[in-house]
Amino acid sequence: MSTYELHKGDALDLISDWSTPLDLVVTDPPYALTGSGEEHAISATVACVLRETAKHVRVGSWMLVFSASSWRSISYMVEAVRGILSPVRVANWVKPVAKTQVRTPGWSWTTVPVIAMRRGPKNNPLLETNPGIRDWVECSPLARGRRAKLPNEVASWAVQPFVVPGGTFLDPFAGSGALPLVASSFGMHAHGFEKNPPVEVQD
């Protein structure tokens, strides 16, 4: 039987007290769009939480991390877990119409990279034999904002191919809980960490 629990609190504190081996981690952490002040603190916290979370991932299991649309951000996420997890593939959530206000000369942020990293050998037959693994999904965002609720279609696309029925799932930056809810619906014991969970969720 699957379960779902959203733990209220600071992700770094919660993962420091965590002891259960993880069969799958999928997370959409907050993005830091500048390199100073509060934004720098967000980046540092994300890196520390990802690294501590990676230590609990079972050998042969996966962590998928949603990233900002830049190689700098992708590299930052990968470096956070270097020596524990190995990057295997980058897929993309394609947004037909960008709703973010972020703009740079010549292009808009219309894709969100998702980095698939694994503990153990990179050559895993899952990537070759599972027809459910797609390199991209096209889906409109639900609202503006970097912490807007993740569409269910995107959450399912990221989680389903890597599900371990009866295994333990964690999203250390759960937000509204879309990713743990999807993992639970696929038969996993799902957990999420969130500092400010929705009011209807009880810890």
Side-chain angles (χ1 to χ4, degrees):
M1 177 182 293
S2 62
T3 58
Y4 167 53
E5 184 175 2
L6 192 59
H7 306 265
K8 182 178 180 180
D10 182 85
L12 193 53
D13 292 336
L14 292 170
I15 196 61
S16 295
D17 293 332
W18 190 262
S19 59
T20 305
L22 298 170
D23 298 288
L24 178 60
V25 176
V26 185
T27 189
D28 181 13
Y31 304 146
L33 303 178
T34 67
S36 60
E38 183 180 348
E39 297 284 340
H40 180 77
I42 291 173
S43 293
T45 297
V46 167
C48 290
V49 171
L50 290 179
R51 187 162 190 84
E52 291 305 307
T53 301
K55 294 176 182 178
H56 297 285
V57 174
R58 291 184 192 272
V59 173
S61 294
W62 296 83
M63 173 188 279
L64 282 79
V65 181
F66 286 68
S67 169
S69 300
S70 71
W71 281 110
R72 177 181 178 184
S73 180
I74 292 171
S75 177
Y76 189 83
M77 302 299 185
V78 170
E79 289 298 318
V81 299
R82 179 176 290 278
I84 306 172
L85 305 178
S86 298
V88 177
R89 170 179 266 172
V90 177
N92 286 280
W93 166 20
V94 180
K95 302 177 182 180
V97 178
K99 291 192 175 183
T100 178
Q101 295 180 352
V102 176
R103 294 288 184 271
T104 58
W107 63 289
S108 303
W109 285 21
T110 57
T111 62
V112 176
V114 182
I115 313 157
M117 297 177 281
R118 184 171 181 265
R119 189 163 194 172
K122 294 184 182 181
N123 55 331
N124 183 268
L126 175 68
L127 294 177
E128 286 76 36
T129 62
N130 190 332
I133 296 181
R134 295 181 291 155
D135 285 335
W136 61 277
V137 63
E138 182 175 335
C139 182
S140 296
L142 296 178
R144 293 180 184 273
R146 68 185 181 193
R147 296 302 288 152
K149 184 177 180 181
L150 198 67
N152 188 68
E153 180 181 348
V154 176
S156 297
W157 164 75
V159 171
Q160 185 175 14
F162 302 92
V163 161
V164 177
T168 301
F169 172 96
L170 177 64
D171 177 357
F173 299 100
S176 64
L179 288 163
L181 279 170
V182 162
S184 176
S185 74
F186 289 129
M188 297 195 72
H189 299 293
H191 300 265
F193 297 161
E194 181 53 42
K195 201 169 189 177
N196 299 298
V199 293
E200 69 271 18
V201 174
Q202 301 298 317
D203 58 354

